[in-house]
Amino acid sequence: MNMEHGRTSLWILGDQLRLDHPGLEQADHVVLVESGRLLRRLPYHRQKLVLLLSAMRHYAEALRERGFTVDYVRAPDFTYGLRQHIERYRPTRLLTMAAADHAGRQWQTQKAEAVLGLPVVVLPNTQFLTGRYNPFPAPGKKVILENFYRAMRRHFGLLMDGEAPVGGQWNFDRENRRPLPKDAAPPAPLRFPPDALTRQVMAEVEAAGYGLGSAANFGYAVTHAQARAALDDFIAHRLDLFGPYEDAMTARHRTLYHSVLSPYINIGLLDPLEMARAAVDAYHAGRARLNSVEGFVRQVIGWREYMYWQYWRLMPQLARSNHWRATRPLPGFFWTGETEMNCLRHVLRSALETGYTHHIERLMVLSNFAMLAGLDPQAVTGWFKAVYVDAYDWVMQTNVIGMGLNADGGQLATKPYIASANYIHKMSDYCAGCRFNAKARTGPDACPFNTLYWNFLISHEAALKANPRTGPAVLGVNRLSADERHDIQRQARRFLDAL
Ligand code: FAD
Ligand code: SF4
């Protein structure tokens, strides 16, 4: 017992499963709560439910092996579970690490003490590098990714040669963005056969009857050691070609050279610095090329940290943003994958079956379609949150509302990520097997991405022209005749009405 504070219980959230959790040193007991309400709030993918529950239970075991007393509570909700724990262990204070999401942190800092009837101490969140070093602490300031990323690289000394970036450049994007060659055979990510504890969770999740997809064939890592093995496997077998094919899409392979580590880093099984350093070490050891290593480091300590930093800058307004006034409900095929559009069908089916698709599929197929079709931003966010194994509020609101749908009016990304079929055709092999024609924008075989893209440019011509980064794209609209404009708008309306 801590003489200064009396008996301390440490409440560890399910996405904070760190072995170096900052509260462990002061804890007399640890409490983990499985909240039934949280698990049922959305029709979450069963792979995600198994991942979370099994990782939490394995974590509880790991802490017990290290000598901690762990109270693992299964309760209808957090309040009920924490009250049960307090009754049993009679702590004099509750310690917890600040939640990564806005609603959770509001509850911890503003309600928990009153609801639980004891002092609640909220420790700073150390899961993110910005919790250790915040390069831009003034929250009102708008900062572009590139400046944020360079500040992080400098501070953490990643790929630095004194003050200069290794290789003389901060960014090697021009060497990346290649389509996948026909003969490429990316090695699949490491999978882990479920142990008895995971099999028990899989059976529970299937029997509970809620959620989507299936718990069968579960193969995600659920312990720190497994997550580290998944990281090592990525570094050894896929990192070297990660950069060149980062943006490629194919119907032949689901994960390409991506790391598939987001499910682990987002719940504390991996640390961002550990991931970035492992990649940099591979570069110095001559095992991975610089453009790949820099690209990966930028994703982990650049984009990921930037999104978290932006989330806390822009919430709660971010969640209510709807800059383009999009109100169309989500089409039913998002839940079934049943659409004639080959790219969408492939990506939706992958997401619905596995809870994973890679970044460009999320951005340039799913959100691109959602934005061009004017789908309601919160409906789209709800879908992503339910389906993806790595989805949490901080990363959803920023990536879907901000990056994907530009519903924040450009706070996060300087231009909307919209494209016609041209982009998908160039970066994937989806169009070859599609009933639509990627070159046509009107007519019975016209690719809906083309019709909707041009319809979007026509509908938002003035706003897009005013943005220097999108202005040039809209110039094409000037070349359309009145008849062509009319045909595009009529065909788009018919397509959207049929959704
Ligand atoms: P890799 O391509 O191997 O990248 C390495 C790591 O970089 C990832 O594991 C991830 O931790 C990090 N990263 C890269 N880009 C981002 C980013 N924009 N935001 C946050 N982290 C990033 N990421 C999630 O973790 N959860 C989500 O729910 C999520 N939803 C998204 C929805 C949309 C519409 C978009 C456009 C992006 C979303 N992302 C999300 C970001 C990114 O797509 C995923 O992090 C990435 O695809 C995860 O796969 P990976 O681990 O194979 O990533
Ligand atoms: Fe997608 Fe259009 Fe290509 Fe079909 S033609 S795969 S709908 S981009």
Side-chain angles (χ1 to χ4, degrees), residues 165 188 205 212 214 219-220 251 286 291 414 417-418:
V205 166
L212 62 84
S214 165
Y220 285 108
N291 53 312
T414 45
Y417 285 94
I418 48 171

Side-chain angles (χ1 to χ4, degrees), residues 115-176:
V115 171
L116 301 173
L118 84 174
V120 174
V121 179
V122 182
L123 301 170
N125 187 305
T126 55
Q127 303 240 98
F128 293 85
L129 296 183
T130 44
R132 302 168 216 175
Y133 166 69
N134 185 349
F136 299 101
K141 208 170 158 189
K142 193 169 171 178
V143 176
I144 59 165
L145 177 269
E146 194 57 30
N147 292 342
F148 182 95
Y149 168 58
R150 290 181 188 188
M152 296 300 267
R153 280 252 312 259
R154 280 197 190 96
H155 180 82
F156 290 101
L158 292 160
L159 288 179
M160 295 303 296
D161 200 350
E163 277 302 297
V166 168
Q169 278 168 239
W170 291 98
N171 186 319
F172 294 87
D173 261 358
R174 249 184 302 140
E175 294 169 42
N176 296 341

Side-chain angles (χ1 to χ4, degrees), residues 341-343 421 424 430-431 434 436-438 447-449:
M341 299 170 74
N342 204 30
C343 52
I424 298 176
Y430 298 141
C431 300
C434 186
F436 294 109
N437 177 354
C447 167
F449 270 101

Side-chain angles (χ1 to χ4, degrees), residues 219-392:
Y220 285 108
V222 290
T223 65
H224 295 83
Q226 288 178 341
R228 178 68 212 200
L231 168 62
D232 292 342
D233 176 70
F234 163 70
I235 301 283
H237 300 119
R238 299 192 303 284
L239 173 65
D240 185 40
L241 288 176
F242 171 84
Y245 306 119
E246 204 178 341
D247 290 2
M249 299 180 280
T250 173
R252 289 181 286 121
H253 201 283
R254 286 189 167 161
T255 48
L256 287 88
Y257 294 94
H258 288 270
S259 68
V260 197
L261 295 174
S262 53
Y264 314 139
I265 187 175
N266 288 356
I267 59 174
L269 294 186
L270 286 174
D271 181 80
L273 206 49
E274 176 189 13
M275 283 166 61
R277 283 191 176 140
V280 172
D281 288 350
Y283 166 69
H284 288 305
R287 287 188 285 128
R289 64 196 75 186
L290 184 55
N291 53 312
S292 287
V293 173
E294 187 283 314
F296 183 71
V297 168
R298 178 147 32 92
Q299 302 304 320
V300 177
I301 68 153
W303 275 112
R304 183 172 187 272
E305 294 290 332
Y306 181 67
M307 288 308 198
Y308 182 69
W309 181 85
Q310 287 280 18
Y311 177 79
W312 284 100
R313 189 174 82 85
L314 300 173
M315 281 298 278
Q317 292 81 0
L318 181 64
R320 294 193 284 268
S321 317
N322 193 352
H323 179 75
W324 299 94
R325 298 202 170 87
T327 54
R328 200 173 300 285
L330 202 70
F333 65 71
F334 266 70
W335 298 105
T336 61
E338 295 301 321
T339 163
E340 288 184 296
M341 299 170 74
N342 204 30
C343 52
L344 267 181
R345 187 175 61 238
H346 178 82
V347 176
L348 285 168
R349 285 186 180 171
S350 285
L352 293 166
E353 280 168 28
T354 66
Y356 175 89
T357 61
H358 73 70
H359 183 67
I360 292 301
E361 294 166 333
R362 300 185 203 203
L363 185 65
M364 297 312 293
V365 177
L366 298 177
S367 356
N368 185 18
F369 178 82
M371 183 159 180
L372 295 178
L375 304 187
D376 171 30
Q378 279 306 324
V380 179
T381 308
W383 180 85
F384 269 102
K385 252 190 203 169
V387 172
Y388 279 81
V389 288
D390 56 8
Y392 297 89

Side-chain angles (χ1 to χ4, degrees), residues 450-466:
N450 291 337
T451 318
L452 295 181
Y453 175 76
W454 286 96
N455 180 58
F456 191 91
L457 296 191
I458 295 167
S459 311
H460 300 286
E461 195 174 345
L464 293 168
K465 267 187 184 150

